[in-house]
């Protein structure tokens, strides 16, 4: 079953459901990719910082290309530039490492993972003696110019942003000659991102939802958090349609034309997550799901200070989540 797509301003088709690979451990991710491709996934979301691009590359080499099960043109692969590689001269080497690891000649989409930078170097999380991050204060607009050069070289088909606020998007658009095609952010019924999505749509960006199921496997979730997959409205719709709660959450995004990248290494769930194109909600049911919004953000990088979890990067001038949206 071919997954439905959105069309980017570049003309590329981007499947509405992709396989997420954050927290997919080496040793498990290769089989997950191979299985996903076998059941119709044509969109894989990667990032250098996830530490598993080499193994993903092994799966792609075995299954994608001339004479293989999937042609390269059919597949949409995204990766992301990490925070330590924002200096213009570090951008192309970082991309080339990702391409070598993934065993690809080009990426369909390359994102700036976060708007703020860490100190340059090979340590992905450079720290001070007290455990706080060592930052760099380079402007993402400088980084963007180096990304644009990758498009000119044919190494990347489209560029995009991850975890940027509306204000930061507009700031970047003021200098961009290659316009961003996609914004990837946390998005689910508890964090519906309606204002940010409208903002993006008005500027020709599509939106990808990460953690569309509320990231139930995060290391740092606390016992008092609301659990999206156990929300009564979601469970009632799951029962009505004979679907899983996850399928209800993904279908909600499909109907909003928001791309989703649910992560799984479990074959039954990988299959289930793409089987969301053969049922539809009524307008009233969409409203019920819309009404769950409470601007609840699950994914905030945390640091333990004096035994308490505090937002790790909130003091950086380019931290995106201090903005209203």
């Amino acid at each position: 079953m071919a997954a439905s797509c959105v069309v980017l301003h570049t003309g590329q088709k981007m499947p509405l459901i992709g396989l997420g690979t954050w927290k997919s451990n080496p040793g498990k991710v290769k089989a997950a990719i191979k299985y996903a491709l076998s059941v119709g996934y044509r969109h894989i979301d990667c990032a250098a910082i996830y530490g598993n691009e080499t193994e993903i590359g092994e799966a792609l080499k075995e299954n994608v290309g001339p004479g293989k099960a999937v042609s390269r043109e059919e597949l949409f692969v995204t990766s992301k530039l990490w925070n330590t590689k924002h200096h213009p001269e570090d951008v192309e080497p970082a991309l080339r490492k990702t391409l070598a690891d993934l065993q690809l000649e080009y990426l369909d989409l390359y994102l700036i993972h976060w708007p703020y930078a860490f100190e340059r170097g090979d340590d992905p999380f450079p720290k001070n003696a007290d455990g706080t991050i060592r930052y760099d204060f380079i402007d993402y607009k400088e980084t963007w110019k180096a990304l644009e050069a990758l498009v000119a070289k044919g190494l990347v088909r489209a560029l995009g942003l991850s975890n940027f606020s509306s204000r930061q998007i507009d700031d970047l658009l003021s200098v961009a000659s290659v316009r961003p095609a996609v914004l990837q952010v946390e998005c689910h019924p508890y964090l519906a991102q309606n204002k940010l999505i409208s903002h993006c749509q008005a500027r020709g960006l599509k939106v990808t939802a990460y953690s569309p199921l509320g990231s139930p496997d995060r290391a740092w979730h606390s016992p008092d958090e609301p659990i999206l997959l156990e929300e009564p409205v979601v469970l009632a719709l799951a029962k009505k349609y004979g679907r899983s709660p996850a399928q209800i959450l993904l279908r909600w995004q499909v109907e909003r034309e928001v791309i989703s990248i649910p992560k799984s290494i479990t074959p039954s769930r990988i299959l289930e997550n793409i089987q969301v194109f053969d049922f539809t909600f009524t307008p009233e049911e969409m409203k019920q799901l819309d009404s769950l919004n409470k601007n609840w953000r699950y994914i905030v990088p945390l640091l333990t200070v004096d035994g308490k979890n505090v937002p790790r990067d909130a003091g950086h001038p380019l931290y995106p989540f201090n903005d209203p949206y």
Side-chain angles (χ1 to χ4, degrees):
M1 179 194 70
S4 296
C5 298
V6 294
V7 180
L8 305 183
H9 73 60
T10 56
Q12 293 164 282
K13 286 184 178 172
M14 184 170 181
L16 274 161
I17 299 288
L19 184 71
T21 60
W22 179 40
K23 306 187 299 306
S24 295
N25 296 334
K28 302 269 176 73
V29 73
K30 183 177 177 181
I33 299 276
K34 289 174 78 162
Y35 181 75
L37 292 172
S38 79
V39 297
Y41 280 75
R42 294 295 179 265
H43 169 190
I44 312 288
D45 182 84
C46 312
I49 196 61
Y50 301 164
N52 54 13
E53 288 192 328
T54 304
E55 194 174 324
I56 292 168
E58 291 170 13
L60 296 181
K61 186 176 185 0
E62 289 173 22
N63 294 272
V64 178
K68 309 274 172 64
V70 178
S71 74
R72 175 65 186 95
E73 291 67 39
E74 280 179 82
L75 187 64
F76 194 101
V77 181
T78 300
S79 188
K80 310 178 193 86
L81 179 76
W82 185 239
N83 307 359
T84 51
K85 306 296 178 186
H86 280 210
H87 279 255
E89 58 271 36
D90 297 335
V91 169
E92 186 174 325
L95 170 73
R96 287 192 180 273
K97 168 132 189 14
T98 277
L99 288 174
D101 288 349
L102 293 173
Q103 304 198 42
L104 295 175
E105 290 180 6
Y106 67 90
L107 287 180
D108 298 278
L109 178 65
Y110 199 37
L111 309 177
I112 300 183
H113 206 143
W114 290 90
Y116 50 82
F118 295 170
E119 184 177 82
R120 296 173 73 189
D122 292 327
D123 180 353
F125 294 98
K127 291 193 175 78
N128 296 304
D130 64 358
T132 55
I133 295 279
R134 296 174 69 88
Y135 294 114
D136 191 294
F137 297 97
I138 188 164
D139 193 308
Y140 47 73
K141 294 192 291 296
E142 290 185 54
T143 312
W144 189 256
K145 287 293 166 197
L147 285 166
E148 291 179 334
L150 304 176
V151 177
K153 288 185 175 179
L155 298 171
V156 175
R157 298 278 162 94
L159 301 177
L161 307 169
S162 179
N163 300 303
F164 276 59
S165 71
S166 58
R167 184 178 57 83
Q168 291 172 327
I169 292 165
D170 288 352
D171 182 40
L172 187 130
L173 284 170
S174 72
V175 302
S177 53
V178 176
R179 293 173 66 85
V182 173
L183 173 71
Q184 183 176 127
V185 286
E186 180 182 348
C187 183
H188 42 72
Y190 286 166
L191 183 68
Q193 300 278 28
N194 297 321
K195 285 182 174 169
L196 187 54
I197 290 169
S198 301
H199 190 91
C200 286
Q201 286 171 342
R203 289 154 180 77
L205 282 82
K206 300 296 182 186
V207 175
T208 298
Y210 72 72
S211 303
L213 310 180
S215 200
D217 59 348
R218 281 162 305 119
W220 63 84
H221 77 239
S222 64
D224 54 346
E225 283 183 349
I227 299 174
L228 185 56
L229 288 163
E230 296 174 8
E231 178 63 49
V233 172
V234 175
L235 295 178
L237 286 168
K239 190 173 177 190
K240 174 183 169 180
Y241 286 100
R243 299 285 168 155
S244 70
Q247 287 173 313
I248 299 303
L249 297 175
L250 294 170
R251 179 67 206 177
W252 176 72
Q253 298 283 24
V254 165
E255 296 208 14
R256 301 184 335 140
E257 289 197 9
V258 171
I259 302 140
S260 297
I261 45 169
K263 168 259 168 179
S264 182
I265 51 172
T266 310
S268 59
R269 288 192 182 143
I270 292 172
L271 177 59
E272 182 182 277
N273 288 345
I274 204 172
Q275 293 177 328
V276 292
F277 296 99
D278 56 349
F279 70 107
T280 312
F281 297 133
T282 66
E284 188 49 47
E285 288 165 345
M286 284 298 288
K287 279 200 188 104
Q288 287 177 345
L289 289 166
D290 292 343
S291 73
L292 298 174
N293 185 36
K294 52 176 95 172
N295 294 317
W296 179 274
R297 192 183 295 282
Y298 286 106
I299 309 300
V300 177
L302 298 173
L303 194 66
T304 306
V305 177
D306 301 328
K308 288 196 181 70
N309 280 339
V310 295
R312 185 189 65 201
D313 304 316
H316 195 292
L318 298 179
Y319 184 70
F321 304 150
N322 293 332
D323 285 344
Y325 65 93

